[in-house]
Amino acid sequence: MSGEHYLIIGNGPAGREAAITLREKAPQSRVTVISKENVRCYQPHLLPQFIAGQVSEEELFTLPFSFFKERDIKLRLGQCVVDVDFHKSQVTMAHKEIIPYTGLIIAVGGTPRIPERCHRYRDRMLTLKTLTDARMWAEKLQKVSSALIVGGDLTSFALTRTLLAMGKRVSFLLNEESLWPVRCDDQVFREARVKLEQGGVEALRGTIQDIVRRSETSLEVTVDNKTFETGIVGAFYGLRPDVGFLAGSGLTIERGILVDEYLKTEVDNVYAAGDCAQVYHPGLKDYWVSIGYGNAENLGRIAASNLMGEKTPVETPQESILCAEGVRVNTSWWLEF
Amino acid sequence: MKTPARELAAKVKSIHDSHIFSVRSDELPTWCPGCGYFGIHFGINNAIQRLELPHHEVMIVSGIGCAGRYPFFSGTYGLHTVHGRSLPVATGVKLANPGLTVLAVGGDGDGLGIGGGHLPHAARRDININYILFDNSIYGLTKGQPSPSSPIGMKTKASPLGTIDKPLNGSLMALSYGATFVARLFAGDPESIADALMEGINHPGFAFFHIYSTCVTFDKQFKTWDNLKSRTHPLPESHDPQDYKQAINEVLADDYSMGVLYHAKPVAQ
Amino acid sequence: MREQSDYPAQDGKSELKVVKQVSYSTDPADFHYMTVNVPCQNACPAATNIPAYIRTLFEERYSRSYELNRIANIFPGVLGRVCSRPCEDQCRHGEPELGRPVNICHIKRAAADYRREGHIYMERLFAPLGKSVAIIGAGPSGLAAAHDLSTIGFKVVMFEAFDQPGGMLRYGIPEFRLPRDVLQAEIDSILRLGVTLHTGRRIGADVRMEDLLRDYDAVLAATGCYTSIPLGVPGEDLPGVYAGLEFMIDVTSGKAPRVGEKALVVGAGFTAFDCARSALRLGAREVSICLRRTEEDLRVTRDEILEAKREGISIKSLMLSQRIVGQGRAQGVEFVRTRPESVRADGKREIAPIQGSEFMEPCDTVIVATGQRSTPFDAPGEKDRHGILTPLGARGARTSVPGLYVAGDYATGPSTVIQAVAQGRRAAEVIAEDLTGGTRRQKAVRMEDTTITDRSRSWDYIQRQEMPTVAPMAKRLGSADIEVETGYERDAAHEESKRCYLCYLHYEIDMDRCIYCRYCIDVAPRDCIKLVESVETNEAGAIVGYKETTSWRRVNAVMIDNARCIRCGECARVCPVDCISVTKVELVERLSMEGGQ
Amino acid sequence: MAGIDLTVEVCGMSGDGTIAAGGILNEAMSRQGYSALAFDSYPAEIRGFGRCVTRSRFGDRPKLALTDRTNALISLDDEQSRSRIPFLAEDAVVLFDDKPPSYVEENKSIAAHVEPTMTLYGAPFADLAAKAAGSARGRNLTALGVFAAVFGASPDVFREVITGKFAPKGEKVLRANLKSFDAGYEYALETFSKRLLNTAPPLRRTDGSRKVLTSGNTAIAEGALAAGVKLYFGYPITPATPIMEYLAKKLPERGGRVTQMEDEISSIGAVLGAFFAGTRAMTATSGPGFALMTELITHGVMSETPAVIIDAQRAGPSTGLPTKTEQSDLQAAVFGGPGDSPRIVIAPTDVAECFHYTAKAFQLAEKYQTPVIVLTDFFLDNRVENIEPPALEPEDARDGNIYPDASAKGAYRRYELTDSGISPRAVPGMEGFMFAATGLEHVERGTPDYTPANHMAMSQKRYRKIRSALADLPAPEEYAETGPLDVGVISWGSTFGAALEAVQDAQARGIRVGALKITSIYPYHEDVIRTFMRRCRKILIPELNFEGQLSGLIGHLDGTEIVRLTMATGVPMAPSVILKKIFEIVGEKAA
């Protein structure tokens, strides 16, 4: 065992792939994966099917624990990083343990983003990111027949498909915050409305003013002074990188951790991959957060290789084409809906 | 009052450079934080250093009990014997190698209880052993039973109604057994302990040090820091340590006067 | 300097009974101690004695608490609202494991809110010196200088360009943030010291520098920064484009500038936020703040950002304006994306535009709040390329012209109110020295024996009391002069004051009496008491580091690390040999009645 | 294993309140109707010296052994608890304080050591307690609160128990502790969604009756009290001290007293004196103290004076491992001391038996005029079981002394040679039967005599007397179907519980195996044991000592091969160890 210790924060597809890659490329080093969630790594993109009951919980999971034990990859599950010191190259855990590293890969993924103006009634909206969220949806859906989707990102469209398949009534509220990570202008909105309505979804435009809980199964929503009733409100304003613990640490964070095309942050031995990494995309003329399972895995591998001294760039898909969830997706990807 | 920052730093440096603590071992003492034994330890430490005794020529023999652990925390030769038998072992050591400075240490249970039978004989023999009695009037290691020197009425789990047996007075015993050097001291006053030890170690015969200490864990009633601090006081100016009767009378008259009670003139051989 | 305290032998207890022991030190080592151990006071440019005023507020002596502020920072009521709070970033309670910083600023405001009706701070005035000083500019810095100079005995005359005093406080800060009566009251408490104020008199135009230099023993220029820095992009002259500062001056002096539907604010400082929030109150439906960097890099407080967003303002990152477009009036701004480059030595991060990433943000109003710089006026002496007098000397108050001094934003460029105040006071100090050949105020470390604090450990777990704000947006935006922050209830203030660790209390173990029993360590709330082998010192001779050890033979001292200590008092309560003392240590200014020495 | 079988550990530094927490946990779980078997191992060391671990096994049916796999670990001190990880089940849950007083370097936290298959439940024990009660002292109860919430146990029962324990210490202390508990409970409720064990059956009894949580030591003391003991002489020694402490509280209420003597030598002396004068007395000690007593014990044998001695075995030799368990005093108890000195030695196997055998010891001592040694061990003394409140068997209450017949007045022969070997014994105060007892060899009247024939005759008498005691001693119990067996497991003392569990487990798997419980160590029932041995292909004797002291005692009885399963580890033997050995033996046959 050499003194090197490679640390990966996050046990999602990106983190997992990064760990495996590091183990291959640095057989002598210690490799540790830290994850907030206390479950084996699963396939988040299957969650909508899971909610619909088309996929069982077992099928969500990918590799068994033994896989990591055999490769001597240390898993710290259910544990949380609260601070990173890039000068000392060490992380501080919530339980106050201090762990030094030689190289760090941040692959914490994202948490659902809720715009400040919605904070007042956030507790009346459901999000969908983790297995726990999914269980919540499944449970709620037993009782209600209609749902309102606000915001609207990739997941929301997948979920909408599911909901329709389950025979639920779905309304979809669009506004400038919608269709993250893409900006939603008028033209985009028109396209989206058409697509949705073809799919049998009621598409609205406007901003939520208030949500009031009427009963266990009924919410009263006010949009631009018009009030109507629905069973669930699902918030899909995209993801915020789950990097609260990096505040003030010196890394640039906007919607994600800004990295160059080699996924390196401003700090030499620190890389970011997956939903929490933000790379400039010439097509969008904006920074974009790579979404989707396949991408995440891929970025994980790249980050790991580059941390080990290679120089593999992420190829940003040409103008108007992002690949996510295996679906061919472009800057108007909801057209696939 | 706050020490000015500059003085404070200088102070630490001077202690550091004095190497005063080099006679300790590396082991952090396992006595409860706040234990009086730390004060005694500090006193013994200073005495050995000020007498400039070579550490390898110092031997500490102990019995069982909290005090019995002393040798582990001392950087000298040490022997942790069985319960109550430290004095016989120490006697053997001293007779085998008169060149050593021998300290026998033990608690009140060890020295006045199970080993109580040994004290008179050690005193009678008057071999140059320095017997330091850590007297906190309780069994600490077995988690708080009354000891031979517990005051009447001490309530412990083993004496729920309070002890009814009279406590032994180590100093008086030693005097009556004919010990030729008897000092009574307080763990909270390490300086006096050091002074008395320096005098007693140089005394050619058996020296008995009766040190009042505390058990912060099991005695919240009698030998507490507050009680001992407020009650103990130095021997009267007029006290003449060479006067055996005066020593006896002092001990009979006052339980809390601290200092060298008796120091017999060496008998010309 | 320092009286020796002699402990009664043996019985340590009575140490706490000895009559009040006070001593003063001017040893650099002790000043260093203050910087490390009372982080809040050290962070405050005006060196406000924060623990002391929080403690007095806790004792519900609101007026006294106010005074302790007033002594140092002149504008407690104002700063209790608009201070940039460098102290809170340093508050020990904010250390990761300890929770969130004490809400120092809002406690200050509470002291102001609840002090005695008609409470007046009794100044210590000196006999008139028969010398006079002219101060140009009645902003925070000028007023602070005026205060100090007149207490020392100078005749002070002020010239203010606007028709009311206060400078940026009045013309830069909107009313919903700082009510005018509060401001006026605190300005009056300075003017009442016999300061003569001429308003509507602009240097250069209405007053001539050479006259002043002739008529007065000294002249202090504190004219501030009133020249907006333009973006320097095409289209900036279009109607609908405002310079941030002018915009604010219009707003605050009652002439509401016209804003349209969709306003873009370019800039990242408090001014940008004030403009944005004001624009909203002037009827704009959609307001965005456009940043070259990201939210992370903003220098405004977290609450500020949150409030702004609550009001519906959106913050857009990583965009650099290229040009303002429009026929007849502004209709949009073209931006280019930026990318952060590696961090520079000075900690700042380079921002570089990305080629070919131009995009358009439509709008009808553009407010350029990218900063302002000092306004030049004609005066003799060395100047920089903008025509601004160059400050000389360590305290940056003198100029190349004898008798002419500078202070505040004029001298330093845009800064915070508290810095301006500190600046003004430092300038006053320099002027007094030059004119009297001596100093009236001397900084010293005051040490006073005290008994153990009555703080309870459970207070350390009290949640930070948040500042209540006007909740319904409609009400809030209804009129421009509704103060958004409504101030603490008495209870909240008292609750918050409990949270202060009182870092001005110094705990110390007397090595001569310690028996190394480690009782204190056993009860310590965190690793604040150490088994020390040796200490590192700095050139001043102060302790800057501890070498700890767990080897018994190497434990030379048991020491309290006051930089870790949270002053809970447990150690002093349990020490069997009473060798732990508590001392109140404060950084104070001593007044010497006789002029120089 | 079917049903509920949950082993919980609380681990901390002595001083963390580990033992107290374990006690409350046991009582609370017991009151909820679970069977409970708990064993704390803590150092008789100074605070700050050692690790404290309480292990409790809860189930829906009684268990007599501890398993070697723990399902839940409550860590009050990570440094200490780390060492427990290897003993955890793969799917164990670990509760720990995730806000220690200071930052620690990598691997100093228990979080660094748990397997990914395990579940971590971090809660700021100390902070919560400090916040709720103003001091972190109650953090052990906070930990219990978290446990209760995580395992879906009834908080009310916990509060009930805490109240019972702390109410005597005053309102302030009680409130502080309840607050600390609630703080943990509420924190966990809102922090952790998962509920383990919430399948708990409604085991709580409705008829108001309740099993009582009893330690071996308490049972021994209660047994003695039931048998009417009047005097206790003792000297503090781990693990026997609690017996003295318990009696110190109870005896005065019954007109008796506890006298703490200056050492074991004087303790046993005083006991002999008291019995000589016709009063029931006892002492309890452990190996080192027992060794000091042996001379006086043989004096009791020689002078035919009754005495009751509890030897609470701990790991030896010498001071040994004072806080570790072992069964290595057997031979010392049976043979220890100068000369041929037969005495009665019995050894209970569980807490209930501790009660009954101690009570019986007085009866036997009086009737057979001999020191009776009750052999227990650290594991048996300090473990806690919830048992039905034990009731005394009537004959044990009777005065067991056999007094001389009035006709003998004037011609009383204290050591009269009889068929049973028992000679009627007079006690001081009885008119006309005066005699002198001595440690010297003596003739029937008691006067010293060294002639060869007499010493031979008297030796025979003393052995004859002890053999005849077999009639009153509990016979071995057999747990096996009839017919030949592949393995016969013979065990004694605290190890028997594990042996029985292993045997039942093996039987369930269809192996022909049986168990024999031996509680009468000396004298022992030769015939019963021999008959059992003859049925077995091999005999397995598991015991907690290095040599196999029971094997040494009874191994020769029959030709059957004896397999010794011995362990000198200081920790109780787990059923799995014995089961493994059984498999080995059976495997050999298959091969």
Side-chain angles (χ1 to χ4, degrees), chain A residues 178-325:
Chain A
S178 304
L179 305 178
W180 177 91
V182 183
R183 288 170 186 280
C184 178
D185 56 32
D186 289 3
Q187 179 256 345
V188 165
F189 172 76
R190 277 191 298 281
E191 291 175 350
R193 152 169 270 157
V194 175
K195 273 326 233 180
L196 285 164
E197 279 168 354
Q198 285 169 0
V201 181
E202 173 195 21
L204 313 162
R205 183 169 201 176
T207 333
I208 293 196
Q209 285 153 321
D210 201 359
I211 302 179
V212 185
R213 168 155 283 118
R214 282 271 162 263
S215 77
E216 195 34 44
T217 58
S218 157
L219 295 165
E220 192 176 270
V221 187
T222 314
V223 174
D224 299 350
N225 306 326
K226 288 187 297 299
T227 300
F228 59 93
E229 185 265 342
T230 182
I232 308 183
V233 177
F236 293 88
Y237 292 100
L239 300 176
R240 190 162 44 69
D242 196 359
V243 289
F245 65 97
L246 288 176
S249 66
L251 286 192
T252 317
I253 293 147
E254 202 248 347
R255 280 178 171 181
I257 302 167
L258 295 196
V259 291
D260 61 20
E261 65 265 52
Y262 302 105
L263 299 182
K264 188 174 86 52
T265 65
E266 301 98 305
V267 186
D268 280 341
N269 59 343
V270 180
Y271 288 69
D275 289 1
C276 70
Q278 196 177 8
V279 195
Y280 178 73
H281 187 292
L284 300 176
K285 298 192 170 178
D286 194 354
Y287 287 87
W288 75 296
V289 175
S290 144
I291 39 181
Y293 191 73
N295 289 349
E297 286 186 319
N298 188 23
L299 292 186
R301 289 189 210 100
I302 294 176
S305 328
N306 289 347
L307 176 58
M308 296 313 296
E310 295 175 23
K311 248 189 175 316
T312 324
V314 223
E315 80 258 2
T316 39
Q318 348 74 25
E319 160 110 44
S320 89
I321 294 186
L322 321 180
C323 212
E325 298 193 7

Side-chain angles (χ1 to χ4, degrees), chain B residues 47-267:
Chain B
I48 294 174
Q49 296 294 67
R50 289 175 194 167
L51 288 170
E52 295 174 354
L53 299 172
H55 298 168
H56 64 278
E57 289 177 14
V58 178
M59 174 83 179
I60 298 178
V61 185
S62 73
I64 301 291
C66 294
R69 299 211 160 266
Y70 192 98
F72 302 136
F73 315 137
S74 167
T76 64
Y77 283 103
L79 181 52
H80 179 221
T81 68
V82 297
H83 202 10
R85 316 303 171 194
S86 62
L87 278 174
V89 175
T91 307
V93 171
K94 186 66 185 180
L95 291 175
N97 183 349
L100 295 173
T101 301
V102 178
L103 305 182
V105 304
D108 37 301
D110 190 71
L112 303 179
I114 187 169
H118 302 298
L119 177 56
H121 306 288
R124 245 173 61 241
R125 289 189 204 102
D126 202 20
I127 297 166
N128 185 354
I129 295 171
N130 303 279
Y131 183 39
I132 305 163
L133 183 73
F134 294 39
D135 187 355
N136 60 3
S137 299
I138 197 149
Y139 283 87
L141 201 48
T142 47
K143 302 196 186 294
Q145 297 78 27
S147 89
S149 62
S150 296
I152 292 176
M154 176 184 266
K155 288 195 167 57
T156 72
K157 281 187 288 175
S159 54
L161 308 175
T163 49
I164 56 174
D165 309 338
K166 285 187 259 129
L168 291 178
N169 180 332
S171 302
L172 187 55
M173 284 166 78
L175 284 166
S176 57
Y177 290 151
T180 48
F181 182 98
V182 179
R184 186 166 57 186
L185 303 148
F186 167 40
D189 180 11
E191 271 313 298
S192 316
I193 294 177
D195 295 343
L197 271 166
M198 290 164 70
E199 187 180 343
I201 288 171
N202 288 327
H203 170 69
F206 179 75
F208 179 75
F209 303 86
H210 184 195
I211 307 189
Y212 286 19
S213 186
T214 61
C215 178
V216 291
T217 307
F218 294 108
D219 176 10
K220 318 258 185 222
Q221 190 183 0
F222 294 97
K223 283 196 168 173
T224 62
W225 280 111
D226 286 346
N227 286 349
L228 290 180
K229 273 185 292 188
S230 56
R231 291 178 195 168
T232 55
H233 54 84
L235 285 164
E237 288 299 325
S238 59
H239 186 80
D240 169 14
Q242 308 235 315
D243 182 336
Y244 183 69
K245 284 206 182 64
Q246 201 185 352
I248 296 270
N249 292 333
E250 179 61 34
V251 174
L252 291 172
D254 186 341
D255 273 343
Y256 291 97
S257 54
M258 301 281 139
V260 176
L261 289 160
Y262 181 58
H263 187 170
K265 287 193 219 68
V267 192

Side-chain angles (χ1 to χ4, degrees), chain B residues 30 69 83 114 141 145-146 160, chain D residues 44-47 49 235 245 248:
Chain B
T30 54
R69 299 211 160 266
H83 202 10
I114 187 169
L141 201 48
Q145 297 78 27
Chain D
E45 301 283 3
I46 322 169
R47 206 181 123 207
F49 201 81
Y235 188 83
E245 292 178 342

